[in-house]
Structures are given as structure tokens and as C-alpha cells.
Amino acid sequence: MITVRLFGMTKSLAKNLSELSLELNGARQVKDLVALLTAQYPQIGELIQKKKVLVSVNHDIAHEETTIQDGDEIALLPPFAGGAPAGC
């Protein structure tokens, strides 16, 4: 069982849940997680596949072949914006 943290639009698309607990059923790569998410939350899966949401594993941006282990910290990261121009 893994826990996936959700932020911003991904949280909204998952009925405002901040975390999802998922059973990978033997699968151990990010691409397997994305397939599982796509089956359960198609809009989230689409955002990941279009690179509009990034997957991080233990605070590092992950790739499709990144290995996932029980206890890893996984997050779906929507685009961030903000800040102020220099001198403000």
C-alpha cells in the first residue's frame, strides 16, 4: 500500500481528498501507478500523461521507470506560479 499526496487541482479532482491510499498489486514503477490512477481518476491520469502534473518520489521528480517501494513519499505536483517581480 502506498500513499499519494494530492495538491491543487489533483486534490479537487479526487473529491477534495488530500491523500490516496493505493494498492499496487505487485507493480513497482511510476508508470504502474499512473495506470492505476488513470483507471480510478481519469482526469488526473490525463494531466500526468500530458505532463501538466508531475510525479515525485521521495521529493525527487520521477520518471515512468522510477521504482516505487512501500513507504516511499509520493506526490502529484501541479504547476506552481506566483512570487513577485524583483523590487516589489
Side-chain angles (χ1 to χ4, degrees), residues 32-53:
D32 302 317
L33 170 65
V34 172
L36 186 61
L37 285 169
T38 300
Q40 295 184 13
Y41 302 93
Q43 292 175 309
I44 294 175
E46 183 178 339
L47 290 171
I48 295 169
Q49 291 170 6
K50 289 182 175 179
K51 309 285 186 201
K52 294 186 177 186
V53 170

Side-chain angles (χ1 to χ4, degrees), residues 48-66:
I48 295 169
Q49 291 170 6
K50 289 182 175 179
K51 309 285 186 201
K52 294 186 177 186
V53 170
L54 299 176
V55 178
S56 75
V57 177
N58 298 326
H59 304 275
D60 291 324
I61 300 301
H63 304 281
E64 288 185 344
E65 289 79 30
T66 300

Side-chain angles (χ1 to χ4, degrees), residues 5-56:
R5 294 177 161 223
L6 306 174
F7 303 95
M9 70 177 90
T10 59
K11 181 178 175 180
S12 298
L13 293 172
K15 301 177 184 172
N16 229 19
L17 296 172
S18 59
E19 293 183 347
L20 300 174
S21 295
L22 302 170
E23 185 67 49
L24 289 176
N25 298 323
R28 293 291 171 191
Q29 292 185 329
V30 167
K31 65 183 175 186
D32 302 317
L33 170 65
V34 172
L36 186 61
L37 285 169
T38 300
Q40 295 184 13
Y41 302 93
Q43 292 175 309
I44 294 175
E46 183 178 339
L47 290 171
I48 295 169
Q49 291 170 6
K50 289 182 175 179
K51 309 285 186 201
K52 294 186 177 186
V53 170
L54 299 176
V55 178
S56 75

